[in-house]
Amino acid sequence: MDTLFGFVGQDFVIVAADMSAARSVVRFKDDEDKIMVIDNSKLLASAGENGDRNQFCEYIQKNLHLYELRTGIPLSTKAAAHYTRGELAKFLRQSPYNVNLLMCGTDKDEGPKLYYLDYLASMIETKKAAHGYGSYFLLSTMDRHWKPNMTYEEALQLVQLCINEIKTRFLMNQPNFLVKIVDQNGVRVIS
C-alpha cells in the first residue's frame, strides 16, 4: 500500500513517498524513509514489500558506489537506471524482488531525469510518475497541474496538492510524506 510520486521541474526532480511501513492490516511505523540517496545527484524511491525494498535498494546503492570506486567515474542517471533495470530483470529469473521504483537525478550534460521502473523490469523515462494505489488519484492530478519547466515554488504547490488528494480520497491513512529534491546543488529534504 505504498505511494510514490515524482516529477521533473525546471532544473530539478522532486520525489515524494509515504512514510508508512505496513504488512497486512497492521501499520508498524510512520517514519520509514523510502527514498534512498544513491549519491549526491541521484535518488531511488521504492515501493513494495519491506524486506525486498530495503535489500534491493541497498544492493543497487552499494554496487553503483563500488563501480564508482573501481573506475573513478560516477554513472549518469540514465546509466544507473539501465543498470537497475538489468538487475531487476536478472533477479526476475532467479528470485524476484517485489519492488517498484522511481530513479531520478540531475546530470550536468543531460539535466534532470526521472525513470519509472516496475517489478517486471520494465523501464521508461518520463516527466511525471507514480506508483501504488495512490497513483490512481495522483496521475490525473499531475496530468492536470504539471507543466514543463515548473519553478521550485510551483512544484512545491503541486506536491502539496497531490498529498492533499491522497489524504482526502485514498481509503488508507497515510499521515506522513517525505519529499526530497535533487538538483545541481545535490539532494535535500523538503519539510
Side-chain angles (χ1 to χ4, degrees):
M1 293 300 226
D2 300 319
T3 300
L4 302 176
F5 65 94
F7 52 88
V8 176
Q10 191 171 25
D11 57 352
F12 60 89
V13 182
I14 195 163
V15 179
D18 74 287
M19 296 179 73
S20 300
R23 180 166 172 82
S24 184
V25 296
V26 178
R27 188 173 66 218
F28 300 126
K29 61 185 204 173
D30 289 323
D31 61 352
E32 181 78 11
D33 186 354
K34 298 177 184 176
I35 307 172
M36 179 172 280
V37 177
I38 300 296
D39 62 25
N40 203 26
S41 65
K42 287 183 265 318
L43 293 171
L44 182 62
S46 57
E49 297 293 328
N50 292 327
D52 286 356
R53 185 171 42 80
N54 288 332
Q55 275 190 321
F56 186 75
C57 289
E58 285 181 10
Y59 172 81
I60 293 299
Q61 180 191 43
K62 302 306 181 202
N63 276 287
L64 291 176
H65 187 65
L66 178 63
Y67 177 86
E68 185 177 350
L69 287 174
R70 284 182 176 166
T71 64
I73 302 168
L75 287 175
S76 67
T77 305
K78 181 178 181 178
H82 281 276
Y83 171 77
T84 304
R85 194 212 71 78
E87 292 301 302
L88 270 174
K90 180 180 85 174
F91 283 115
L92 183 62
R93 288 153 182 82
Q94 297 171 355
S95 56
Y97 285 102
N98 184 14
V99 292
N100 295 307
L101 306 166
L102 295 178
M103 180 170 271
C104 62
T106 56
D107 300 315
K108 289 184 173 83
D109 300 336
E110 299 178 17
K113 299 279 186 191
L114 174 65
Y115 292 90
Y116 174 98
L117 296 92
D118 71 4
Y119 71 101
L120 294 174
S122 62
M123 181 184 79
I124 188 166
E125 182 184 343
T126 184
K127 297 295 183 187
K128 55 190 182 300
H131 276 298
Y133 286 117
S135 67
Y136 296 122
F137 308 110
L138 297 177
L139 290 173
S140 60
T141 303
M142 287 190 287
D143 281 345
R144 181 173 178 97
H145 297 284
W146 180 87
K147 60 185 179 189
N149 296 318
M150 289 184 84
T151 65
Y152 179 74
E153 290 77 22
E154 291 171 331
L156 289 181
Q157 289 175 356
L158 180 54
V159 166
Q160 191 58 53
L161 191 64
C162 288
I163 290 172
N164 290 343
E165 192 74 15
I166 289 294
K167 289 184 176 183
T168 303
R169 298 187 182 278
F170 192 43
L171 175 70
M172 300 295 295
N173 180 22
Q174 295 177 329
N176 300 328
F177 278 80
L178 178 67
V179 181
K180 291 186 181 179
I181 187 168
V182 60
D183 58 16
Q184 295 297 334
N185 300 322
V187 175
R188 50 186 200 277
V189 177
I190 308 298
S191 54

